Amino acid sequence: MKSKTNVIWNIGLIAGLLILLFVLEQVMPSGSMLFTVLKKGAIYALVAVSMNLLNGFTGLFSLGQAGFMLLGAYAYGILTIPVESRASVYQYFDGGLIQFAIPVPLALIASGILAAIFAYLIGLPVLRLKSDYLAIATLGFAEIIRAVFMWDKLGPVTNGSNLLRNFPSFHSVLFPFVVSGICIAVIVLLINSTYGRAFKAIRDDEIAAEAMGINLAHHKRLAFVISSFFAGVSGGLLAMYQTSIQANTFKSAMTYEILLIVVIGGIGSVTGSCISSFLFIACSEWWLRFLDNDNLYIGSFHVPLLRAGFRKVVFSVIIMIMVLFYQRGIMGDKEFSIEGVKNFFLRLAGKGKVKKGGASHE
């Protein structure tokens, strides 16, 4: 009965959030930084949860997320550029090789499928490695795939080192929220299924998991492919957000940012990854932006030290403080729930009680 009540509450919260976003779009200017943070935060929430599925719930330390996002972004862009625009986009490659376009939903699914196919092929040899060796191998793949997509020989398909553009983008903040929300819901269902329990068993103890009859190679490959599929979808969403695609955008620094979001939110917590995604984007691109202004005055007092790039220094210090004081992340391995919120406020109320004669009184 409690689980059914929690589901109803969660559905109500999600519906309320979507209604709030719709209202905000009607009353606030479209160029507001709030919408920028919400759009990019929703995209990063999906890719962070996909990485957490692999790193946090399965115990596989992979750093190839940027490479899979690149595959998803290019698949989306290549498949959705209108035929009449291909001549101007592929101007150095005779209009390009592909001369058709598909709807946006199908292109996003194709983005995930392409990333999943590459993940399956790469996973066959790479998933035999463990720990740091796996991380280095997947990071190397991401760098190789980025260089390959800039190769002029593939120009008729990828446009080489030139930008892909003129493909459909989203103008409403609701679109990335709905797509990311559906994908994250699927991941949560997977985590709570028998496959999810098998992933957690592999994370906790591979030898014990194998003794229980779990096929380690199969389940590791499955987690790797599923994680990469959703990373590919998030790459397609990121392409829509940026309105253009270039391979140099998907450098290893992007993977480190995603890993940082997962660590700050809590390894093994889906809601932690979601919360930290929005906090990370808000701090790095909005709240601290004033620190780059070297002409900032408070009254007649000129604030010293501020200059371009100073916000990154302050942001790094904030991250170090968070890691020091929240070593397990914001949520640890816990998840947000209505029951947890109720218990939190009950504990606060309990602390506020006045004890008299060994008994507590309201």
Side-chain angles (χ1 to χ4, degrees), residues 186-216:
V186 172
I187 294 173
V188 170
L189 290 174
L190 176 67
I191 291 170
N192 293 324
S193 69
T194 54
Y195 286 103
R197 288 191 286 273
F199 294 159
K200 294 173 187 176
I202 293 171
R203 174 196 64 189
D204 295 337
D205 193 326
E206 288 192 10
I207 297 173
E210 191 171 24
M212 292 169 60
I214 296 173
N215 187 329
L216 296 183

Side-chain angles (χ1 to χ4, degrees), residues 87-119:
S88 61
V89 174
Y90 290 90
Q91 56 183 324
Y92 301 107
F93 300 99
D94 299 324
L97 184 64
I98 297 175
Q99 293 297 320
F100 62 88
I102 65 175
V104 169
L106 292 180
L108 287 175
I109 294 172
S111 299
I113 291 173
L114 180 64
I117 291 171
F118 270 80

Side-chain angles (χ1 to χ4, degrees), residues 41 45-46 48-49 184 261 265 269-279:
L46 174 57
V49 171
I184 291 172
I261 289 171
S269 172
V270 172
T271 48
S273 295
C274 295
I275 292 169
S276 61
S277 296
F278 290 101
L279 290 176

Side-chain angles (χ1 to χ4, degrees), residues 263-313:
V263 172
I264 291 174
I267 297 177
S269 172
V270 172
T271 48
S273 295
C274 295
I275 292 169
S276 61
S277 296
F278 290 101
L279 290 176
F280 180 88
I281 298 299
C283 286
S284 61
E285 299 199 9
W286 185 18
W287 294 340
L288 301 179
R289 188 171 288 275
F290 71 95
L291 295 174
D292 287 346
N293 183 8
D294 57 355
N295 290 317
L296 182 65
Y297 286 85
I298 300 177
S300 59
F301 175 73
H302 176 254
V303 181
L305 298 178
L306 302 187
R307 62 198 67 203
F310 188 69
R311 66 187 166 102
K312 294 184 178 180
V313 176

Side-chain angles (χ1 to χ4, degrees), residues 201-351:
I202 293 171
R203 174 196 64 189
D204 295 337
D205 193 326
E206 288 192 10
I207 297 173
E210 191 171 24
M212 292 169 60
I214 296 173
N215 187 329
L216 296 183
H218 171 72
H219 282 83
K220 284 182 178 180
R221 192 159 53 245
L222 184 64
F224 192 57
V225 168
I226 293 172
S227 172
S228 302
F229 173 86
F230 290 111
V233 174
S234 67
L237 290 174
L238 187 63
M240 297 180 76
Y241 167 77
Q242 294 178 336
T243 68
S244 65
I245 305 167
Q246 190 172 34
N248 271 335
T249 306
F250 300 88
K251 293 183 177 179
S252 56
M254 178 178 286
T255 298
Y256 301 146
E257 286 183 352
I258 299 164
L259 179 61
L260 183 61
I261 289 171
V262 172
V263 172
I264 291 174
I267 297 177
S269 172
V270 172
T271 48
S273 295
C274 295
I275 292 169
S276 61
S277 296
F278 290 101
L279 290 176
F280 180 88
I281 298 299
C283 286
S284 61
E285 299 199 9
W286 185 18
W287 294 340
L288 301 179
R289 188 171 288 275
F290 71 95
L291 295 174
D292 287 346
N293 183 8
D294 57 355
N295 290 317
L296 182 65
Y297 286 85
I298 300 177
S300 59
F301 175 73
H302 176 254
V303 181
L305 298 178
L306 302 187
R307 62 198 67 203
F310 188 69
R311 66 187 166 102
K312 294 184 178 180
V313 176
V314 176
F315 186 53
S316 301
V317 173
I318 293 172
I319 289 171
M320 286 190 290
I321 292 172
M322 288 194 66
V323 171
L324 285 172
F325 288 95
Y326 293 91
Q327 295 181 4
R328 298 187 61 196
I330 296 171
M331 296 292 292
D333 57 356
K334 303 292 189 299
E335 300 290 355
F336 173 84
S337 67
I338 298 299
E339 196 67 29
V341 174
K342 287 180 181 177
N343 292 336
F344 173 75
F345 283 109
L346 285 173
R347 286 197 298 271
L348 285 181
K351 289 179 181 179

Side-chain angles (χ1 to χ4, degrees), residues 20-42 170-174 176-177 241 286:
L20 176 61
L21 292 175
F22 177 77
V23 172
L24 287 175
E25 280 193 314
Q26 306 308 310
V27 300
M28 293 183 66
S30 58
S32 171
M33 277 300 297
L34 174 63
F35 293 135
T36 299
V37 170
L38 290 175
K39 290 175 184 177
K40 195 170 182 180
F170 50 73
H171 302 288
S172 172
V173 72
L174 291 174
F177 262 84
Y241 167 77
W286 185 18

